[in-house]
Amino acid sequence: MEVEILKNYFTEQTNFFKGISPFEIIKEYGSPLYVYNESILRQRCREMKNFITYPNFSVNYSTKANSNLELLKIVREEGLNADAMSPGEIYVLLAAGFKPEQIFYISNNVSAEEMKYAIEKGIILSADSLSQLELYGKLNPGGKVAVRFNPGVGAGHHEKVVTAGKKTKFGVNMDYISEVKEILKRYDLKLVGINQHIGSLFMEGKPYIEGVKSLLDIAKQFDDLEFVDLGGGFGIPYRKQEGQERLELKEFGSKLDQVLKDWIREYGKDITFKIEPGRYIVAECSVLLGTVHSIKNNYGVTYAGTDIGFNVLARPVMYDSHHDIEVYREGKLLKSTESDKPVYVVGNICESGDILAKDRMLPELKEGDILGIMDAGAYGYSMSSNYNNRLRPAEVLIRENGSISLIRRRDTLEDLMRNFDVDSGA
Ligand code: LLP
């Protein structure tokens, strides 16, 4: 008997597949495939809703992490509101049943048409620069607006996802508060809220609370706010197999509660506090399944060639992100043993950078094995593409009662031709 290496297997611990074998799922819906678990999604929504005790608290799910219509409906049922980053996200949120007043449009460098889209729908927009605030004033004088500030500090798991600080494009520099006030006055705009987002994926609350304090200092300088949006970025443990701890929410929440309550006392008026988690809500409710199609050794390196190219999951290539991997063979989860071998898990895209995992210690892989890529629900499908004219995968949902349903079909070859039905003049 091989000596087993002790690891945490997320799908086993959470009964993720509810007794359905990944093989059966792939047989029915094809590979690769995003599989979602409704119970986990609902649980994460509830954790965020209970994060603090301050009563006027709104959790705005950040749609960019995953905009599947069925998942959005569940998030809405759980009582969350939503953030949108584009008219496309607004469109799908409305289709999922969110009311305009439940949507906050955090815009960045948008056109007049995009602003008008939000204004006509009655959705509050946050302007990201003085020039965009000015444009908003021209389009909607006398209207309500929010402004995103950049408190000069940021945080995040990779420089590409640090969204505040002195070297990012986001938010209005704190030194421009008087210019903001001038524009508000000139166009008779009512500043209903201010917001920030310092960056994505923090695993301890301290930098977030520091960011909140800076934002609240700015908020003090505006008399009549209805809300302050503190941003998202709540991290999840991507290295669960090695026992990585979760973000500790209890003490973090009570510290934040205290900061907010103290501030309200000073401000003298109750306002709403919002947060904007994306990843925390959806990352862990999905396992991306794929198939091993080839095994080869090139000059000493073993490659397992799969159908999970970076058109399906871009995070490892884009940010060097780690995703735990489980292996399923003959209907069963294959556990790690002392004879695990290092392997490069790669996709089927014509680029040498198409690598899902480097030197990963896994049971020796074979053609036909199914791989489960953990924590794939956030920025997985939403960042997928048709690069190499590959078809984006389907998405299925395992319901709380254990039934499984298709919630987005796989692209078809015809889909690739969809936008050519134009008169090209030829
Ligand atoms: N609010 C704003 C204004 C944001 O820009 C973002 C994410 C969020 C909220 C949600 O952040 P979260 O809670 O999900 O960390 N594609 C990258 C992450 C990019 C995040 C961009 N902004 C990744 O896969 O790690």
Side-chain angles (χ1 to χ4, degrees):
M1 214 15 213
E2 303 267 20
V3 181
E4 192 182 318
I5 296 175
L6 288 180
K7 275 189 186 176
N8 297 314
Y9 296 97
F10 184 68
T11 63
E12 188 177 72
Q13 286 174 346
T14 57
N15 189 19
F16 187 93
F17 296 113
K18 300 217 179 213
I20 317 169
S21 128
F23 282 84
E24 291 303 316
I25 301 176
I26 289 269
K27 209 160 91 194
E28 173 91 21
Y29 299 99
S31 175
L33 183 73
Y34 277 96
V35 183
Y36 297 89
N37 177 302
E38 180 178 0
S39 318
I40 297 176
L41 174 59
R42 288 189 185 273
Q43 189 184 332
R44 294 294 177 260
C45 290
R46 290 169 196 173
E47 285 165 10
M48 278 285 117
K49 281 205 75 180
N50 295 326
F51 175 43
I52 58 173
T53 59
Y54 180 81
N56 299 335
F57 175 53
S58 162
V59 182
N60 282 15
Y61 167 61
S62 192
T63 311
K64 64 179 81 67
N66 191 315
S67 52
N68 183 291
L69 191 63
E70 280 308 304
L71 303 185
L72 291 177
K73 286 182 189 164
I74 295 171
V75 168
R76 184 179 58 76
E77 269 174 33
E78 287 295 330
L80 273 61
N81 294 328
D83 276 356
M85 202 71 198
S86 66
E89 287 186 356
I90 293 175
Y91 185 78
V92 72
L93 285 167
L94 292 170
F98 286 89
K99 305 236 160 51
E101 59 273 22
Q102 295 177 308
I103 302 172
F104 183 33
Y105 181 18
I106 303 194
S107 74
N108 178 240
N109 307 331
V110 300
S111 66
E113 284 65 39
E114 288 182 68
M115 279 192 187
K116 278 192 213 146
Y117 183 84
I119 295 165
E120 278 157 19
K121 299 255 179 301
I123 290 167
I124 297 288
L125 171 148
S126 151
D128 194 38
S129 59
L130 296 178
S131 73
Q132 293 257 284
L133 185 60
E134 179 103 35
L135 174 61
Y136 187 87
K138 286 180 187 153
L139 295 173
N140 195 24
K144 292 180 173 181
V145 72
V147 170
R148 175 171 179 170
F149 280 97
N150 179 337
V153 286
H157 71 88
H158 188 281
E159 69 176 289
K160 288 181 186 150
V161 300
V162 174
T163 45
K166 300 212 162 89
K167 288 193 174 150
T168 76
K169 67 168 178 167
F170 292 105
V172 174
N173 183 330
M174 306 211 290
D175 302 336
Y176 293 146
I177 292 182
S178 57
E179 283 84 345
V180 167
K181 288 187 174 172
E182 270 168 41
I183 299 173
L184 294 173
K185 206 161 155 217
R186 194 170 331 132
Y187 296 99
D188 190 27
L189 294 171
K190 176 165 171 15
L191 186 75
V192 287
I194 67 168
N195 57 299
Q196 75 170 5
H197 173 72
I198 60 169
S200 195
L201 211 170
F202 56 80
M203 289 308 286
E204 49 166 276
K206 208 160 167 255
Y208 190 82
I209 291 189
E210 289 311 309
V212 167
K213 286 182 183 162
S214 319
L215 186 67
L216 291 178
D217 279 343
I218 300 175
K220 251 188 249 163
Q221 305 183 48
F222 297 97
D223 297 331
D224 217 7
L225 294 176
E226 292 170 14
F227 68 85
V228 173
D229 182 336
L230 312 172
F234 300 79
I236 63 112
Y238 280 101
R239 293 176 185 267
K240 294 184 184 61
Q241 286 182 348
E242 301 165 11
Q244 187 187 2
E245 300 280 335
R246 302 192 65 72
L247 173 66
E248 193 287 314
L249 288 178
K250 211 163 174 247
E251 203 189 318
F252 174 19
S254 62
K255 280 195 180 135
L256 182 61
D257 251 331
Q258 200 51 51
V259 170
L260 301 181
K261 280 172 193 159
D262 291 348
W263 186 84
I264 285 290
R265 211 169 305 125
E266 239 184 275
Y267 194 64
K269 182 182 144 208
D270 260 355
I271 64 166
T272 297
F273 287 107
K274 304 184 185 210
I275 58 169
E276 311 164 1
R279 185 188 320 270
Y280 192 89
I281 301 291
V282 287
E284 294 167 287
C285 72
S286 181
V287 170
L288 168 61
L289 294 179
T291 307
V292 177
H293 287 306
S294 87
I295 303 288
K296 73 157 104 172
N297 191 291
N298 262 4
Y299 303 101
V301 175
T302 305
Y303 292 91
T306 73
D307 53 9
I308 310 172
F310 71 83
N311 65 306
V312 177
L313 182 69
R315 303 193 68 254
V317 169
M318 191 135 174
Y319 319 110
D320 275 327
S321 301
H322 172 99
H323 286 262
D324 281 344
I325 297 178
E326 292 182 1
V327 182
Y328 314 107
R329 183 178 296 162
E330 287 157 14
K332 285 206 293 281
L333 171 68
L334 206 62
K335 302 222 165 148
S336 280
T337 66
E338 279 183 340
S339 33
D340 274 15
K341 298 270 180 326
V343 60
Y344 270 52
V345 182
V346 297
N348 49 7
I349 293 295
C350 187
E351 288 203 30
S352 46
D354 183 26
I355 301 168
L356 187 61
K358 288 179 189 160
D359 267 333
R360 186 67 62 89
M361 295 301 285
L362 289 176
E364 203 166 346
L365 296 175
K366 287 189 194 158
E367 294 88 347
D369 285 344
I370 303 283
L371 300 184
I373 315 302
M374 301 299 115
D375 306 313
Y379 308 105
Y381 190 96
S382 67
M383 290 175 71
S384 67
S385 77
N386 290 122
Y387 186 42
N388 278 203
N389 263 17
R390 290 221 156 261
L391 307 178
R392 284 171 308 166
E395 298 181 289
V396 299
L397 177 66
I398 302 177
R399 301 268 177 198
E400 283 185 302
N401 66 9
S403 68
I404 183 166
S405 46
L406 187 65
I407 55 170
R408 171 152 35 193
R409 66 168 172 78
R410 184 178 310 282
D411 284 342
T412 61
L413 291 175
E414 291 73 33
D415 289 333
L416 299 176
M417 299 298 285
R418 205 169 42 188
N419 297 339
F420 295 118
D421 55 349
V422 289
D423 180 4
S424 63

